[in-house]
């Protein structure tokens, strides 16, 4: 772990990070990366088993982590989640709003429940967790809030009107909250991944993957670690003069 800190110039020692949707995929890698850099991690997932698995993985590597299951789309649960994080670690320094789902379908066939579910999980959860965590960060006069958006929120994507709307909303949310909290030494930024190799993309057909490759200038799908590295930078003091920005990690898709 010490070598990791020295080699990157990023030191999150004694910082406390709450990562939502950390049970698998991008969220899991973010939690592991921040832990490797010294942060104590509150691992959130909707399911207690997955959050416990990631927390155990961190502890086996010598880090400090607590599993906290909650549905962050429900405001009361998001508020309780932040309170539990503070109860365990006495503070919350870093919030990564990563929880997200997809319910893809063409607009004319999209069900109202699928629209509502995606907007609630992807956008309302960020509002709920940020509102709850920022109260503590304001008292501390320190905080790093990182919202995981998507390239779909920048350029759109067929069959993802709900998902693209939720992620585009997250970008506007990031800018507004960054302006509100800047005076308390709290930065708010967004990371917009492109197509990342996760459980969801592994199920894509070879033809769909081939079509995707043609749209990505770097010619490959991203890895969850590509996103985790950017999040770690934004969570660190190296990014103390950066706020209200969106960083695309997409192999060049949105340029």
């Amino acid at each position: 772990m010490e070598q990791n800190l020295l080699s990157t110039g990023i030191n999150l020692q004694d910082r406390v990070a709450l990562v939502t949707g950390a049970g698998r995929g991008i969220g899991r890698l973010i939690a592991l990366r921040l832990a490797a850099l010294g942060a104590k991690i509150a691992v959130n997932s909707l399911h207690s088993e997955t959050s416990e698995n990631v927390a155990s993985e961190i502890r086996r590597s010598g880090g400090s982590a607590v599993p906290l299951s909650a549905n962050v789309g429900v405001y009361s649960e998001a508020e309780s989640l932040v309170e539990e994080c503070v109860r365990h670690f006495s503070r919350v320094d870093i919030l990564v709003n990563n929880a997200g789902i997809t319910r893809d379908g063409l607009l004319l066939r999209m069900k109202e429940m699928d629209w509502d579910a995606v907007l609630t999980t992807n956008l309302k959860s960020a509002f709920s967790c940020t509102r709850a965590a920022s109260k503590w960060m304001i008292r501390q006069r320190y905080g790093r809030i990182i919202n995981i958006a998507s390239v779909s929120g920048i350029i759109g994507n067929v069959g993802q009107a709900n998902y693209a709307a939720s992620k585009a909303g997250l970008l506007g949310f990031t800018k507004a909250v960054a302006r509100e909290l800047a005076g308390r030494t709290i930065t708010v930024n967004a990371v917009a991944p492109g197509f990342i190799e996760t459980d969801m993309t592994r199920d894509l057909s070879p033809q769909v993957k081939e079509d995707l490759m043609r749209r990505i200038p770097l010619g490959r799908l991203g890895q969850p670690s590509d996103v985790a590295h950017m999040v770690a930078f934004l969570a660190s003091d190296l990014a103390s003069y950066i706020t209200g920005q969106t960083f695309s990690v997409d192999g060049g898709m949105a340029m």
Side-chain angles (χ1 to χ4, degrees):
M1 189 174 291
E2 183 178 351
Q3 184 179 4
N4 224 338
L5 301 178
L6 293 173
S7 63
T8 63
I10 296 174
N11 187 344
L12 301 180
Q13 206 74 47
D14 299 324
R15 297 296 187 195
V16 174
L18 169 58
V19 184
T20 70
R24 61 176 187 163
I26 291 173
R28 171 180 168 274
L29 260 293
I30 290 171
L32 294 177
R33 182 62 179 158
L34 298 183
L37 293 167
K40 302 172 184 175
I41 311 296
V43 180
N44 164 253
S45 174
L46 182 60
H47 305 290
S48 58
E49 183 179 355
T50 53
S51 55
E52 175 58 46
N53 288 343
V54 176
S56 295
E57 190 174 357
I58 290 170
R59 291 193 292 263
R60 285 196 300 271
S61 298
S64 178
V66 60
L68 299 174
S69 60
N71 180 355
V72 289
V74 177
Y75 181 78
S76 59
E77 291 197 36
E79 190 171 43
S80 295
L81 171 67
V82 172
E83 290 173 358
E84 278 293 292
C85 174
V86 174
R87 188 175 71 81
H88 279 278
F89 295 123
S90 301
R91 56 189 295 122
V92 55
D93 302 295
I94 301 159
L95 169 65
V96 183
N97 287 310
N98 171 73
I101 61 170
T102 57
R103 294 288 186 274
D104 294 351
L106 295 176
L107 178 66
L108 294 180
R109 299 175 184 170
M110 186 173 289
K111 297 176 181 178
E112 182 181 1
M113 67 175 65
D114 290 336
W115 173 273
D116 290 345
V118 170
L119 268 291
T120 295
T121 302
N122 297 5
L123 184 56
K124 183 187 173 184
S125 67
F127 156 75
S128 300
C129 291
T130 300
R131 187 171 186 268
S134 63
K135 296 175 184 177
W136 294 95
M137 292 178 176
I138 287 170
R139 295 175 195 174
Q140 298 165 183
R141 298 192 67 83
Y142 179 90
R144 298 283 186 267
I145 299 170
I146 302 151
N147 299 317
I148 306 301
S150 169
V151 67
S152 293
I154 299 173
I155 63 176
N157 199 33
V158 173
Q160 288 194 319
N162 49 3
Y163 186 77
S166 70
K167 295 301 187 176
L170 203 50
L171 301 183
F173 177 78
T174 296
K175 291 179 182 294
V177 178
R179 290 185 181 276
E180 290 185 22
L181 298 180
R184 300 302 181 95
T185 325
I186 301 169
T187 65
V188 187
N189 292 289
V191 176
F195 288 94
I196 306 297
E197 193 91 54
T198 63
D199 293 342
M200 287 188 290
T201 56
R202 286 191 195 99
D203 294 334
L204 296 175
S205 69
Q207 181 60 52
V208 170
K209 285 190 177 182
E210 188 177 329
D211 291 342
L212 282 177
M213 297 304 182
R214 285 197 289 267
R215 296 169 57 190
I216 303 172
L218 283 180
R220 68 171 177 88
L221 296 182
Q223 297 298 315
S225 58
D226 294 323
V227 181
H229 291 319
M230 177 58 74
V231 171
F233 168 70
L234 293 173
S236 76
D237 289 340
L238 296 179
S240 62
Y241 199 57
I242 300 171
T243 197
Q245 305 303 309
T246 298
F247 296 86
S248 295
V249 182
D250 62 1
M253 280 189 69
M255 67 178 173

